[in-house]
Amino acid sequence: MCSPTLMISAFSNALKFQQARKEQRNARNRAQLQGEIADKNYRLKVAQEKLQIRQKAKAEKDKALYTDLQSRQGIAKARVSAEGFTGGVLDRIVRDYARQSGNYKASVLANLDNEIAQSDMNIRGYGVERDANTPYVPRVNTLGLVGASALSWGNDFYTWKAEQEKNSVIKERTLGYLNYDEMYGSGE
């Protein structure tokens, strides 16, 4: 005894199941795609940061080397220019010049170390940003969808069954009244 109502309910629940499963798969695919985009963005930012720090390191090291060469040339010129002039004054001037040059070179290299440390912090920050932009990837819950569809169909079945029993009781009572009227008359 297959009722059209139950057949329609079964087909409706099957379609709802298909649609819900498709929506869950789409949500999963969107989350995976968003995660891939976040990962690519992270890798790109890290590559840019590393390139930038390499360029700065090369520039700062070249600056330190140039300063060192300039210092040596300046000291050599001072010694050659003062060939007749000797004593502690010239030595003090040369040492002071070398000290100032060394301090400048040390500050250039210290700035480079600070740039490298900042770059490392930026890379860590990019990792946190990637984690924040990577969504949770939900799983497709087929069993839950089947259970929900089955419960919905079961509800429709019991609603249909209750309606059938109600109609059966009404029919029995109506027949009972009709039989009573036939046996005893309607009293008119």
Side-chain angles (χ1 to χ4, degrees):
M1 159 166 90
C2 210
S3 163
T5 304
L6 291 179
M7 291 298 292
I8 291 171
S9 174
F11 285 125
S12 172
N13 283 313
L15 289 174
K16 287 178 187 175
F17 167 79
Q18 292 278 341
Q19 185 63 30
R21 194 170 84 183
K22 184 178 179 182
E23 287 174 9
Q24 284 187 0
R25 284 184 179 164
N26 288 341
R28 180 178 177 79
N29 291 340
R30 280 191 306 273
Q32 286 174 334
L33 180 63
Q34 184 66 31
E36 290 171 9
I37 290 170
D39 194 50
K40 285 179 186 177
N41 188 34
Y42 167 76
R43 284 183 275 146
L44 177 65
K45 284 184 174 183
V46 167
Q48 288 173 338
E49 189 71 30
K50 287 182 177 182
L51 174 63
Q52 187 178 26
I53 201 65
R54 281 194 309 269
Q55 290 171 341
K56 284 182 182 178
K58 183 179 180 337
E60 296 296 319
K61 287 179 182 178
D62 287 348
K63 187 190 281 186
L65 179 63
Y66 178 74
T67 301
D68 196 35
L69 289 175
Q70 290 291 92
S71 173
R72 289 174 191 243
Q73 287 174 354
I75 290 171
K77 282 181 185 176
R79 289 198 188 272
V80 168
S81 297
E83 59 185 49
F85 183 71
T86 58
V89 174
L90 179 62
D91 288 338
R92 280 194 300 259
I93 291 173
V94 167
R95 281 194 303 263
D96 186 52
Y97 183 74
R99 182 186 57 78
Q100 288 178 11
S101 175
N103 285 344
Y104 178 73
K105 181 180 171 184
S107 72
V108 166
L109 295 177
N111 285 342
L112 176 60
D113 288 341
N114 290 339
E115 290 283 340
I116 290 171
Q118 181 62 47
S119 177
D120 289 342
M121 292 301 291
N122 289 347
I123 289 173
R124 285 189 196 127
Y126 298 148
V128 170
E129 181 183 345
R130 177 195 57 192
D131 293 344
N133 289 335
T134 302
Y136 168 72
V137 178
R139 62 184 186 87
V140 177
N141 186 3
T142 305
L143 184 60
L145 294 174
V146 168
S149 293
L151 285 174
S152 179
W153 188 84
N155 183 39
D156 291 345
F157 173 78
Y158 283 113
T159 302
W160 173 80
K161 189 71 169 165
E163 193 66 32
Q164 291 296 320
E165 288 180 14
K166 178 179 151 190
N167 288 342
S168 174
V169 167
I170 290 172
K171 190 184 237 182
E172 285 179 19
R173 286 184 182 167
T174 304
L175 284 177
Y177 290 132
L178 288 177
N179 287 339
Y180 179 80
D181 284 345
E182 286 177 8
M183 289 175 67
Y184 300 110
S186 62
E188 296 176 21

